[in-house]
């Protein structure tokens, strides 16, 4: 169960780094259609191992993702801000779910046609019953080419062969506990 929750958290966490089109200071560009490999490396966490996953996407799916995530992020985030910089983008957010408050800062460099990197630092606080946790996460995304014949836009191939479609966001949202078990 812990592994499933970790994978679910990682998948939802990717939403922060993917293109978004809600009312923020700046919109991130839509990624090039096709198969993207995303290598996720987390420092400061033993609960979620490093992982590499693949995401099949197209312009419509990236736009739909922002529509799906926007209502959810508005429910759980009191702050979400993206600014364009000389080298890419910077994102700052304050969100809370399952009794955990997370403050994060991300720097995004590269382009959305061949490769980009997201380096995020976050501070999570589970309240008086648990120590706060600081984590640094790096996502290295690169475009691999066209999606495989058995893939459709939105498919994410997780480690261990688990396959899910990002378009099923309501199902994922319903799986997040309101409070973490004590």
């Amino acid at each position: 169960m812990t592994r499933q929750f970790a994978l679910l958290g990682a998948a939802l966490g990717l939403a922060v780094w993917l293109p978004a089109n809600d009312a923020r200071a700046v919109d991130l560009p839509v990624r090039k259609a096709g198969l993207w490999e995303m290598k996720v490396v987390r420092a400061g966490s033993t609960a979620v191992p490093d992982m590499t996953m693949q995401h099949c996407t197209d312009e419509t799916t990236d736009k739909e993702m922002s529509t799906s995530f926007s209502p959810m992020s508005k429910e759980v985030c009191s702050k979400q801000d993206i600014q364009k910089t000389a080298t890419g983008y910077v994102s700052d957010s304050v969100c809370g779910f399952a009794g955990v408050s997370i403050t994060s800062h991300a720097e995004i460099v590269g382009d959305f046609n061949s490769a980009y990197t997201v380096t995020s630092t976050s501070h999570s606080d589970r309240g008086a019953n648990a120590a706060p946790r600081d984590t640094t996460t790096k996502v290295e995304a690169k475009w691999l080419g066209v999606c495989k014949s058995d893939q459709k836009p939105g498919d994410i191939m997780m480690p261990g062969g688990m396959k899910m479609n990002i378009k099923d966001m309501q199902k994922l949202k319903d799986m997040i506990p309101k409070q973490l078990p004590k």
Side-chain angles (χ1 to χ4, degrees), residues 8-86:
L8 173 63
L12 290 175
L14 288 173
V16 175
W17 305 315
L18 298 175
N21 294 315
D22 59 18
R24 300 182 194 176
V26 173
D27 292 339
L28 293 175
V30 173
R31 292 178 297 163
K32 182 177 182 175
L35 187 60
W36 285 85
E37 179 180 84
M38 293 177 285
K39 181 180 179 183
V40 181
V41 178
R42 293 179 55 122
S45 173
T46 57
V48 181
D50 296 351
M51 67 176 86
T52 300
M53 56 194 109
Q54 294 182 345
H55 184 200
C56 174
T57 191
D58 62 8
E59 182 176 353
T60 301
T61 302
D62 266 9
K63 288 180 180 179
E64 285 176 1
M65 283 175 43
S66 68
T67 302
S68 296
F69 281 112
S70 292
M72 186 170 76
S73 65
K74 288 176 184 171
E75 290 176 20
V76 299
C77 298
S78 61
K79 176 185 177 183
Q80 283 191 294
D81 184 44
I82 298 174
Q83 298 292 326
K84 177 98 172 95
T85 67

Side-chain angles (χ1 to χ4, degrees), residues 5 97-100 126 176-182:
F5 186 71
F97 61 92
V100 178
R126 289 180 60 177
I176 300 174
K178 301 299 179 212
Q179 293 287 327
L180 287 177
K182 295 183 180 183

Side-chain angles (χ1 to χ4, degrees), residues 110-159:
D111 64 56
F112 291 86
N113 289 313
S114 61
Y116 62 93
T117 301
V118 180
T119 304
S120 174
T121 55
S122 65
H123 175 81
S124 62
D125 189 355
R126 289 180 60 177
N129 296 331
R133 180 178 299 166
D134 293 317
T135 306
T136 300
T137 305
K138 186 174 190 176
V139 177
E140 297 171 343
K142 66 180 176 179
W143 189 77
L144 298 178
V146 297
C147 296
K148 296 176 183 173
S149 61
D150 64 338
Q151 297 171 338
K152 63 183 182 226
D155 281 351
I156 296 178
M157 287 56 67
M158 303 291 285

